């Protein structure tokens, strides 16, 4: 059987906690969701931290530390992938457009990197450009991304190059060309997010056909497109992602848990003659660092 890496994106940072009781909020809940997803078959747990009191985004390294420690101390093996997106939300003020208005949340490249640099997960995401994200701008200028990529490279963590639109793929390849990405690059197509690329077959083919020969790639769709994009990605030889960061429903009107989405993904992959990689297989396949000390795997 062919093999694919399966990521569970267990919480995200969006305003989803009021829409489903299953979205984990506290570090303990997020770690437990990652562990349950791993037991259901996930190779990777992609984590954001949330403010335990408000449910909103948290940049507190101690929140990330508790999540990572709880996962690593469990008896369930899973690759940890921490977001390095951090504070990139910019909402211009109508009165002073050059200044951020209400809801703006910006961090420097060094601040965005801090949880990754201190906790040294096997993987982290790197959002490869700015994009209109709903009614705000997710802001990642190119020189900031070069700085972040260099910090990630120095840490020995493997970046997953997240592309929300076609130009992001071009810049991700520029980072590779400039020597800021070690080993075979890993790309993630983030599809269907307003107002990035569409979640459809034509767009996926376009992106896939512009990858370098040594690239690994994944894709995910949001909302009702999560499972259709998973199946299409698997059929084209990519790696896949599910989870409550991207989709709250198991089926129409039925709210999901993370482990249920993972189980459904495993079954869909198996029906396409694809087996989910174990964490250890993925560490070897993708050249990931050893999270328990010693030399890189």
């Amino acid at each position: 059987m062919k093999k694919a890496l399966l990521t569970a994106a267990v919480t995200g940072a969006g305003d989803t906690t009021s829409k489903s009781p299953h979205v984990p909020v506290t570090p303990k809940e997020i770690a437990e969701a990652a562990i349950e997803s791993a037991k259901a078959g996930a190779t990777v747990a992609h984590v954001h931290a949330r403010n335990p009191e408000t449910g909103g985004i948290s940049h507190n390294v101690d929140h990330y530390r508790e999540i990572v420690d709880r996962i690593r101390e469990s008896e369930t093996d899973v690759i940890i992938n921490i977001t390095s997106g951090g504070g990139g939300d910019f909402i211009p003020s109508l009165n002073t457009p050059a200044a951020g208005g209400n809801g703006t949340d910006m961090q420097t490249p060094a601040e965005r990197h801090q949880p990754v640099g201190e906790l040294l997960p096997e993987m982290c995401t790197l959002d490869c450009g700015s994009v209109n994200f709903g009614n705000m701008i997710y802001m990642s200028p190119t020189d900031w991304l070069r700085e972040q990529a260099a910090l990630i490279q120095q840490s020995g963590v493997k970046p997953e190059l997240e592309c929300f639109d076609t130009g992001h793929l071009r810049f991700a390849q520029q980072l590779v060309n400039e020597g800021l990405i070690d080993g075979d690059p890993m790309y993630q197509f983030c599809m269907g997010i307003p107002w990035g690329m569409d979640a459809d077959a034509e767009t996926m083919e376009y992106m896939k056909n512009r990858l370098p020969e040594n690239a690994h790639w994944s894709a995910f769709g949001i909302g009702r497109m999560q499972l259709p994009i998973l199946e299409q990605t698997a059929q084209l030889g990519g790696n896949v992602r599910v989870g409550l960061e991207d989709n709250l429903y198991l089926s129409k009107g039925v709210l999901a848990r993370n482990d249920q989405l993972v189980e459904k993904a495993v079954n869909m992959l198996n029906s396409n003659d694809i087996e989910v990689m174990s964490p250890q297989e993925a560490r070897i396949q993708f050249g990931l660092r050893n999270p328990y000390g010693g030399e890189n795997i």
Side-chain angles (χ1 to χ4, degrees):
M1 295 178 74
K2 297 178 182 177
K3 296 204 173 186
L5 178 148
L6 171 56
T7 295
V10 297
T11 189
D15 183 20
T16 53
T17 57
S18 62
K19 300 174 183 177
S20 171
H22 303 308
V23 177
V25 172
T26 68
K28 181 176 183 289
E29 291 170 347
I30 294 168
E32 287 174 348
I35 294 164
E36 290 163 1
S37 296
K39 289 179 178 178
T43 319
V44 177
H46 172 55
V47 298
H48 293 245
R50 288 183 180 267
N51 184 314
E53 297 180 0
T54 68
I57 188 171
S58 171
H59 305 308
N60 188 324
V61 178
D62 288 337
H63 292 158
Y64 279 98
R65 181 174 289 106
E66 182 178 348
I67 294 167
V68 170
D69 286 348
R70 286 180 177 274
I71 295 172
R72 286 179 174 165
E73 290 168 2
S74 75
E75 295 181 358
T76 303
D77 190 20
V78 66
I79 291 168
I80 299 174
N81 179 335
I82 289 180
T83 182
S84 75
D89 302 346
F90 187 79
I91 302 174
S93 165
L94 291 177
N95 295 325
T96 53
N102 186 39
T104 293
D105 178 21
M106 293 294 298
Q107 287 185 298
T108 67
E111 289 170 336
R112 296 182 189 188
H113 176 72
Q114 188 180 1
V116 175
E118 288 195 21
L119 302 176
L120 299 178
E122 293 105 311
M123 296 175 64
C124 69
T125 55
L126 180 63
D127 302 323
C128 288
S130 302
V131 66
N132 283 338
F133 203 113
N135 193 40
M136 71 176 187
I137 301 168
Y138 178 78
M139 189 178 293
S140 273
T142 53
D143 282 349
W144 285 32
L145 285 168
R146 287 184 171 95
E147 181 179 340
Q148 262 194 282
L151 290 169
I152 294 168
Q153 186 178 51
Q154 292 162 18
S155 73
V157 174
K158 185 77 170 183
E160 186 176 51
L161 305 172
E162 292 209 322
C163 301
F164 293 79
D165 217 334
T166 55
H168 295 184
L169 180 57
R170 294 179 62 197
F171 186 71
Q173 185 57 32
Q174 183 64 25
L175 292 176
V176 174
N177 294 341
E178 292 178 12
L180 289 168
I181 307 297
D182 292 335
D184 295 340
M186 300 181 71
Y187 296 80
Q188 174 81 273
F189 306 156
C190 311
M191 309 187 75
I193 294 167
W195 298 104
M197 72 176 104
D198 279 332
D200 57 33
E202 294 82 3
T203 304
M204 186 180 293
E205 287 277 8
Y206 176 94
M207 298 290 283
K208 179 179 180 294
N209 290 339
R210 281 156 179 78
L211 291 171
E213 288 186 4
N214 66 330
H216 303 287
W217 68 284
S218 303
F220 70 87
I222 67 168
R224 65 180 181 84
M225 293 305 295
Q226 181 171 87
L227 295 175
I229 289 295
L230 180 147
E231 189 156 28
Q232 182 185 351
T233 303
Q235 290 171 353
L236 291 176
N239 300 296
V240 296
R241 166 171 144 172
V242 293
L244 297 184
E245 176 173 353
D246 309 319
N247 165 47
L248 298 177
Y249 291 91
L250 188 65
S251 58
K252 187 174 181 179
V254 180
L255 291 170
R257 301 190 311 267
N258 280 294
D259 61 307
Q260 292 175 318
L261 290 170
V262 170
E263 288 172 359
K264 195 161 189 175
V266 170
N267 290 334
M268 291 180 71
L269 291 172
N270 289 345
S271 69
N272 284 278
D273 295 324
I274 299 169
E275 184 180 353
V276 177
M277 284 186 190
S278 71
Q280 185 60 13
E281 287 173 331
R283 291 184 184 106
I284 295 169
Q285 174 75 16
F286 302 114
L288 306 183
R289 66 180 301 280
N290 184 347
Y292 304 107
E295 297 297 323
N296 283 12
I297 294 171

